[in-house]
Amino acid sequence: MTNDQSDKTFHPNRRGFLGVAAATGAASLAPGVLIGTAGLAEASEPAPSQSVDASASTIAAKLPSPVPGYLSFGPDEAGFVEVMVNVMCPADALTPGGVDCGLAAYIDRQLAGGFGKGARLYMRGPWREGKPELGYQLPLTPEQFFKAGLAAADAACRKRNGKAFSELDEGGADRFLHEIADGKVTDERVQLASWFNELVYPLFEQACFADPVYGGNVGKVFWKAIGYPGLPAVHSQDMVDFRGKPFPGAADPKSIADFA
Amino acid sequence: MATRLKHRTVVFVGGGFTAALAARQLTAKGVDVVVLERGIDRTHTAATSLPSQRDELRWDVHGDLFQDWSVQTYTLRHNDGETALPIRRLQAFKPGEGMGGAANHWNGQTWRWSESDPVLRTQLENRYGKKAIPAEMAIQDWGVTYAEMESYHDQFEKLFGIAGKAGNLRGKVQEGGNPFEAPRQNEFPQKPLPITEAGVIFSEATKKLGYKPFPLPAANSPEAYTNPDGMQLGQCQFCGHCERFICEANAKASPEVLLYPMLRNRKSFELRLQTHVLDILYDRKAKRVTGVRYIDRVTGEEYEQPADVVVLSSFTMSNTKFLLMAGIGTPYNPRTGHGMVGKNFCHQTMSGTRVFFKDRWINPFLASGASQTVIDEFNGDNFDHSGLGFFGGGYIYANVTNGRPITSRAVPPGTPKWGSTWKKANADWYAHNFTISAHGSWYPHRENYVDLDPTYVDAYGQPLLRMTFDVRENERKMSVYLSKKIDEIAKATGADIAPPTAPRKGPYDSQVYQTTHVTGGTIMGNDPGTSVVSPHLQHWDAENLFVVGASVYPFNAGYNPTGPLGALALRLGDDLNDYVACPRHL
């Protein structure tokens, strides 16, 4: 991956970013240096994008910006992850695209923090390949494994598709991710299906549904989408009053920050 | 070199549920007690305060209350011929760490086991004949009967304010309770929790099929409650943060709410936190233990704590490991059948399906850990096993404990794993589905056991405990049977989508949570030749060593283990008072 191809890179819903980048001559920063795109969007007209429908734009405009900047990712890694989360979470009537939901920011911070560094993970050798039922058996921290898998996936993508993952169009990127998940993409040293299904995918789900304090689920957008009311969850009376009925609190969830 | 401390009367290894209950009996009589606990006291910390208590990522996904696997884990192999590897992040069960142990992050499902469970071998031999029990199924009687334990059950239920409806009062079956319940002298101390929408649907379906649903006995307090010790529980908030969390409302009966704060005000009680016990000190010649050696996790210094009596009150796994490390008793050998320590290791046989309803609001977030509705027709020996090819069973229940969106959210089978269709399916179904599960027994198999791993060590350089363990034929057959019953109930709910239940199969998977109910390893019984501890939980090879915990269960029933554990721990406390006054084989 190289940065100079950024203007061809698929970014389905980085609202206004490409437009602003072009206007300010900041194209060399993209991909990989994520600026608070919602803030930028306010300052300029959103770039037209076929995959952003009107309702998604409306939701997006109301959301806070994801936390800007990365702690763990380098520019190429960020480019891969941004495309990936935008494919896995396309802008639609329920949420904006993955980057604007903070999904890339979430994954970056998890990898930079205790989880990524191997907290609570037994890390002593000897290391041997084991049956799947024994779980993870590599000498890498989750952060190292994430990056090893990402590099292997990108190399496999170039071999298969003749270009880097971040250069694929939306359909191509989606197809490639499915091929990885289904074990159809292989690498000599990294088991890519296990990498994706056991590390990347859980991080993606957490990014969507964890408390926004961790950087994903910006503006509680996923909680709103499914109707999870969040905090404070003091429901002694609710559980009787709303048994079998829609729960009004689900429309306006609260998170940790609302009680901080 | 360890610093030798002042001699104490009773030292407990592990400051969880059982230690607190036994210490309650001892310190009530003024007996000197010290409890060594490797973790901290989490009262007034992020774990027990709003808003941080409601953090699913921290407490559930990352498991901040659980044993730290970087310090100590277990190895696993499925049979003797394989090389065991360490489970680097265990998911199948969740031992705790800290004052109160795993009983702080429990759901609160509180059963008395069946009247026939403590005499299971006798029961099955009487009903099906001696030859009916396969040779590899090492079930045995406990050596103590339900009748002997009843008053302790009663005492425990009052201490923990259990909410439920009696099904059998002094032999008389009660409407609305569990008709298979062992006879109880008294009604539950609290009325049942209110029913959930899932419970309503489950009740209708199971009644249609001729079963008798009832509210699962719960340690989630429906109202403010004061127990006989004057300790208080708050009212359950149905917040959906019960299992894997500590209740910030003090509404989940737990040792850190009801027991330790009281014990710490008693003169003869001492709790020493952040102390990791390394060894039990055993005088083989005298067949006595002399104390324990531990490391202070704050200073890193080693200490020797001499004591008259040592009680192993740690998690199932550690109780067994301490005995193996100290060479007290003989390690179990599956080839010869000799040795007892590590034998009869069991877990839980779980299976279940999700039922999806377009037009019914399940609202899974309006739930507590034990606000469940259940049937007991297919548990234990409540049904005829003639010709079925297996023993055991489980309760079947509407299993809603929470709506936490990372781990409890579900979409119908066939939904793509990401993309707009996936998102829409989450939005459509999140509030409209629940699980119907079977919580099944696990009977011992000759080839399922634990011993010390020859290769892998913990952070203190000690061997990890090794599980040689798989889902054997008895449990697989039972799971097929229970799964069919689940499917019949699921169909009777009229759900729009009710995928068939996948029965439990091998190989045993360390990466899928089942329950935290692992049992065995230091089993109890009447015969020193077939047990590690006596029915009074006294070690056969060291008179002043006692072991308490689910490690003493000779098998695991289809019920949650906490009820009999509470009863056994209180009874042990009384036995210890007796022993301290007059040391002997009880």
Side-chain angles (χ1 to χ4, degrees), chain A residues 10 73 78-90 98-99 103 107 146 150 165-166 173-174 177 180 195-196 200-201 203-204, chain B residues 418:
Chain A
F10 165 65
F73 296 152
F80 188 112
V81 172
E82 289 177 8
V83 171
M84 179 175 76
V85 298
N86 279 340
V87 165
M88 294 177 77
C89 173
V99 170
L103 307 189
I107 294 171
F146 188 94
L150 194 146
F165 177 71
S166 60
D174 187 52
L177 292 177
I180 294 180
W195 168 74
F196 184 83
V200 178
Y201 189 76
L203 284 169
F204 165 72
Chain B
W418 62 79

Side-chain angles (χ1 to χ4, degrees), chain B residues 25 61 80 85 222 272 380 424 435 464 480 486 488 524 533 561 586:
Chain B
Q25 308 302 90
V61 177
D80 253 352
L85 294 181
R272 226 174 273 164
K424 183 158 188 312
T435 304
L464 298 184
V480 168
I486 294 172
E488 286 166 18
M524 65 195 290
V533 293
L586 295 173

Side-chain angles (χ1 to χ4, degrees), chain B residues 515-586:
Chain B
T515 67
T516 294
H517 319 147
V518 286
T519 66
T522 74
I523 63 176
M524 65 195 290
N526 261 330
D527 177 0
T530 57
S531 56
V532 173
V533 293
S534 76
H536 293 283
L537 310 187
Q538 186 174 28
H539 201 290
W540 293 117
D541 296 313
E543 184 197 284
N544 63 338
L545 173 65
F546 293 79
V547 185
V548 62
S551 62
V552 307
Y553 287 175
F555 62 91
N556 199 6
Y559 301 103
N560 305 58
T562 313
L565 213 53
L568 281 173
L570 287 168
R571 179 167 167 271
L572 172 68
D574 285 356
D575 280 343
L576 285 170
N577 274 324
D578 187 12
Y579 178 83
V580 167
C582 176
R584 66 196 188 284
H585 258 297
L586 295 173

